[in-house]
Amino acid sequence: MALKFVVLLIMSVLNFADSSNILSFCPTPSYSHQLSCLAIIQSLIDRGHNVTVFSCNPEILDPHPNLHMIDINMFYDVYLDYQRKNNFSLQKYLWPSECLLPIAEVLAIYMDIIFSSESMQNILRSNDTKFDLILYEGLYPGALALKHHYNVPSVVIFTVPLYIPVLYSMGNPINPSYLSSFVTNYSDKMTFYQRIINSFYTLYEMYVHNYYGYPKMDAVMKKYFGNDLPSSKELEMNNSLLILSGDLSQSYPIPLQPNTIQVGTLHIKPNKPLPKDLQNLMDNAKDGFIYFSLGSNMKGTSLPVDKRNAFMKAFKQFPKIKVLMKWESDIEFPDKPANVYLKKWLPQNDILAHKNLKLFITQGGHQSRQEAVHYGVPVLTLPLFWDQEWNAKKSEHEEAGLTINFFEITYDKVYQKLNELLTKDKYKRNMERLSAISKDKPTGGGETAAWWIEYVIRHKGAPQLRPAVKDLYWFQYLLLDIIAFISVLLFVFIYLIYFIAKRFLSQSPNKVKIKSQ
């Protein structure tokens, strides 16, 4: 007993000695974003680090002595207010390109609220508060003002598929011939026409990020930290590490620099027991059941009546298959089929793990798709905004699911897609193949991310990970200066040949003139 106590004491001392103070920002008012970010926080506090985190959903993590949670749940209301004032709604279909400008604007509003908050001001005024690292979600480069303030390294987390401007900021090669913008939702194998469109939207993404997003963040940063602060672009270019929540089961293979790590799915936890009514319902669905949820942002109640009726009519054609639908109201809609069951809230992770589940109808959010892949469940995707069309097309490309364009939802299309997915085995087989790829890792995503964060701290920002390309101008990176130099040499060489040839010919003997008789 005494020996056990000594061992525990030594371990606690070593743990304390290795612990670091980390300041983290997870400000996006979206439950799925919060799950991924906070999974990394959980791994860090489990490994003995002290983490102060700004989060919209503090209830996701259990209280812990090493966790200092600052609740910014009111961001959900801030976002709703912004949507009302600017006629920007997530309760309808939005073209991916429509999201870029409004999102950049509202992100700056969030950072302004954080910097002006009493919690942040208390942190900044405290002489005793020191941090070893800034950890932030990649949509918020304004958080890097704290990197400069505390003179510490920074690590960025990105919870959605590959976002080109953030990849570029880490020195990763950006080539639109095979790297598709989420705005275009193409695969990595594009036609000539698709490469033209993809190149245009890649440049558009970069333009919005550089000339709209950065200036808005800069204005907020300088408001609280002064005009001598480096720009958010400069600070972002000096991030030590980029952590991507994804892997080759969820995106396409591309070359990544050593400072960019794909850790796989972050947020999936061991299954919990289902509520008794749900457990009985799904256990008794001997012919299988369908799970229908449009995620945490889009509500099932927002689905237009004609499109909802198209689904209900199609569900009636499969009376032996039960349908569990997320419906955020106590009032059921008329003519609901007998095989459809409505619930205001559903434990998605635990439902997707059930053996009788045959199909997941989803909006195609990144975290929802990760869960579908993890549990090997085919998907019928109704993409609505941001990266969802990109995710939907990836599932189609892998023949692990099908997509319905939001404007083309009709009974005939829904029935045809449902019948295809419920009767063809290839979709299930392919999703199980992706599931095997996703799970084939030595450690979980949270543990992998935590290890790399510790690596950055141990190596004082890990400058050895920084590729030299980050110090080149764009024309140097593209070798345009070399091409220009060689072109000038070639021009001079050709001109000299021409000049010498002309002189030589001009000095040749004159033709003999014949005198006339």
Side-chain angles (χ1 to χ4, degrees):
M1 187 68 182
L3 179 60
K4 182 178 179 181
F5 174 77
V6 171
V7 171
L8 288 173
L9 181 62
I10 291 172
M11 288 179 67
S12 66
V13 170
L14 289 174
N15 187 48
F16 177 79
D18 290 337
S19 68
S20 300
N21 291 325
I22 297 170
L23 179 59
S24 179
F25 295 87
C26 305
T28 302
S30 171
Y31 193 75
S32 56
H33 280 247
Q34 295 293 314
L35 284 173
S36 294
C37 289
L38 294 181
I40 296 178
I41 304 302
Q42 182 67 62
S43 294
L44 289 168
I45 61 177
D46 287 345
R47 295 164 77 99
H49 301 287
N50 298 303
V51 184
T52 300
V53 56
F54 286 78
S55 170
C56 297
N57 291 89
E59 75 280 359
I60 291 175
L61 297 184
D62 294 329
H64 191 283
N66 291 3
L67 177 63
H68 312 284
M69 185 70 75
I70 299 172
D71 186 352
I72 50 173
N73 183 265
M74 76 285 192
F75 277 17
Y76 284 98
D77 292 330
V78 172
Y79 196 20
L80 288 174
D81 185 57
Y82 175 85
Q83 292 180 55
R84 282 192 295 267
K85 290 179 179 177
N86 295 275
N87 194 29
F88 176 73
S89 174
L90 297 184
Q91 304 308 310
K92 62 180 182 179
Y93 179 85
L94 291 171
W95 294 103
S97 56
E98 286 184 87
C99 299
L100 289 173
L101 295 179
I103 292 295
E105 186 171 2
V106 79
L107 297 180
I109 292 172
Y110 295 156
M111 285 311 306
D112 196 349
I113 293 172
I114 288 175
F115 285 145
S116 66
S117 69
E118 184 178 355
S119 297
M120 176 54 74
Q121 290 302 312
N122 287 338
I123 290 172
L124 293 172
R125 284 193 294 262
S126 174
N127 294 325
D128 299 327
T129 305
K130 304 294 180 186
F131 294 102
D132 301 296
L133 181 123
I134 304 298
L135 176 66
Y136 75 103
E137 190 180 355
L139 296 169
Y140 304 90
L144 291 170
L146 280 301
K147 167 191 175 72
H148 183 264
H149 181 78
Y150 289 108
N151 191 27
V152 293
S154 54
V155 172
V156 54
I157 313 164
F158 224 74
T159 62
V160 296
L162 312 179
Y163 182 49
I164 287 173
V166 173
L167 281 177
Y168 178 80
S169 73
M170 301 303 294
N172 292 294
I174 303 301
N175 190 329
S177 65
Y178 64 87
L179 175 59
S180 65
S181 164
F182 83 92
V183 179
T184 62
N185 62 68
Y186 298 140
S187 75
D188 57 345
K189 296 177 177 63
M190 291 175 260
T191 65
F192 176 75
Y193 171 77
Q194 288 174 333
R195 283 186 286 122
I196 292 174
I197 301 302
N198 191 58
S199 297
F200 170 80
Y201 275 112
T202 297
L203 291 173
Y204 178 65
E205 259 191 87
M206 294 295 293
Y207 172 81
V208 172
H209 194 74
N210 280 274
Y211 297 102
Y212 195 79
Y214 280 141
K216 287 195 170 294
M217 284 291 173
D218 289 345
V220 174
M221 290 162 54
K222 290 179 179 179
K223 177 179 174 182
Y224 295 96
F225 293 90
N227 292 327
D228 293 335
L229 191 72
S231 69
S232 53
K233 180 177 182 178
E234 291 176 79
L235 292 168
E236 189 175 61
M237 292 292 286
N238 283 297
N239 279 324
S240 296
L241 184 72
L242 168 59
I243 296 171
L244 296 172
S245 174
D247 56 34
L248 293 177
S249 71
Q250 299 148 27
S251 60
Y252 301 100
I254 61 170
L256 296 174
Q257 297 285 6
N259 60 7
T260 303
I261 308 298
Q262 287 188 315
V263 298
T265 302
L266 285 163
H267 69 284
I268 294 178
K269 297 180 180 180
N271 304 125
K272 296 178 181 178
L274 286 164
K276 190 173 181 180
D277 60 333
L278 287 180
Q279 189 70 54
N280 290 337
L281 174 66
M282 289 183 277
D283 287 347
N284 293 327
K286 301 304 182 185
D287 293 294
F289 73 94
I290 295 168
Y291 173 51
F292 188 174
S293 172
L294 296 179
S296 58
N297 289 313
M298 173 70 169
K299 299 182 184 299
T301 50
S302 297
L303 195 64
V305 174
D306 62 321
K307 301 186 190 310
R308 185 186 73 209
N309 288 342
F311 275 96
M312 296 307 123
K313 185 179 178 181
F315 291 149
K316 283 183 181 179
Q317 311 312 309
F318 304 91
K320 293 184 178 181
I321 296 178
K322 300 183 186 299
V323 180
L324 188 57
M325 180 177 179
K326 182 167 167 280
W327 177 258
E328 301 83 357
S329 174
D330 294 318
I331 303 173
E332 294 188 355
F333 49 82
D335 301 323
K336 178 182 73 65
N339 62 332
V340 175
Y341 300 83
L342 307 179
K343 291 284 184 181
K344 291 179 72 172
W345 178 86
L346 292 164
Q348 180 164 295
N349 183 67
D350 306 318
I351 288 171
L352 291 175
H354 198 281
K355 59 183 175 61
N356 289 340
L357 181 61
K358 296 178 73 71
L359 178 64
F360 179 19
I361 302 177
T362 171
Q363 89 289 10
H366 184 52
Q367 281 69 32
S368 289
R369 184 170 181 275
Q370 285 184 319
E371 292 168 6
V373 168
H374 183 84
Y375 293 111
V377 182
V379 291
L380 174 59
T381 307
L382 283 63
L384 294 162
F385 42 76
W386 199 240
D387 62 320
Q388 294 170 6
E389 287 201 41
W390 194 95
N391 296 329
K393 293 301 181 183
K394 171 63 175 171
S395 294
E396 278 201 342
H397 179 72
E398 298 286 354
E399 294 190 300
L402 295 174
T403 303
I404 299 182
N405 184 299
F406 192 76
F407 298 111
E408 298 175 357
I409 295 176
T410 61
Y411 161 71
D412 290 334
K413 284 189 179 292
V414 173
Y415 174 78
Q416 181 252 322
K417 304 275 186 179
L418 287 177
N419 191 56
E420 172 84 4
L421 289 162
L422 293 171
T423 58
K424 299 283 181 67
D425 291 337
K426 68 175 182 178
Y427 298 102
K428 178 68 173 177
R429 288 199 309 270
N430 285 325
M431 195 57 103
E432 287 177 339
R433 172 178 58 83
L434 295 177
S435 178
I437 294 170
S438 177
K439 293 175 182 177
D440 194 3
K441 296 180 178 65
T443 57
E447 292 176 62
T448 304
W451 187 90
W452 277 102
I453 290 168
E454 291 173 339
Y455 180 92
V456 169
I457 295 172
R458 285 195 303 270
H459 294 279
K460 311 298 182 187
Q464 65 272 24
L465 297 178
R466 179 186 176 89
V469 67
K470 295 181 73 172
D471 299 316
L472 296 177
Y473 291 107
W474 64 271
F475 59 85
Q476 293 174 315
Y477 169 67
L478 295 173
L479 290 178
L480 296 182
D481 53 342
I482 303 298
I483 293 171
F485 177 72
I486 293 174
S487 299
V488 169
L489 287 182
L490 188 60
F491 173 80
V492 170
F493 176 74
I494 293 173
Y495 179 78
L496 285 175
I497 295 295
Y498 167 77
F499 179 79
I500 292 170
K502 184 177 180 181
R503 290 292 299 269
F504 176 78
L505 292 173
S506 67
Q507 293 177 5
S508 59
N510 294 329
K511 294 179 180 180
V512 178
K513 295 181 179 180
I514 302 174
K515 294 181 179 180
S516 57
Q517 297 296 328

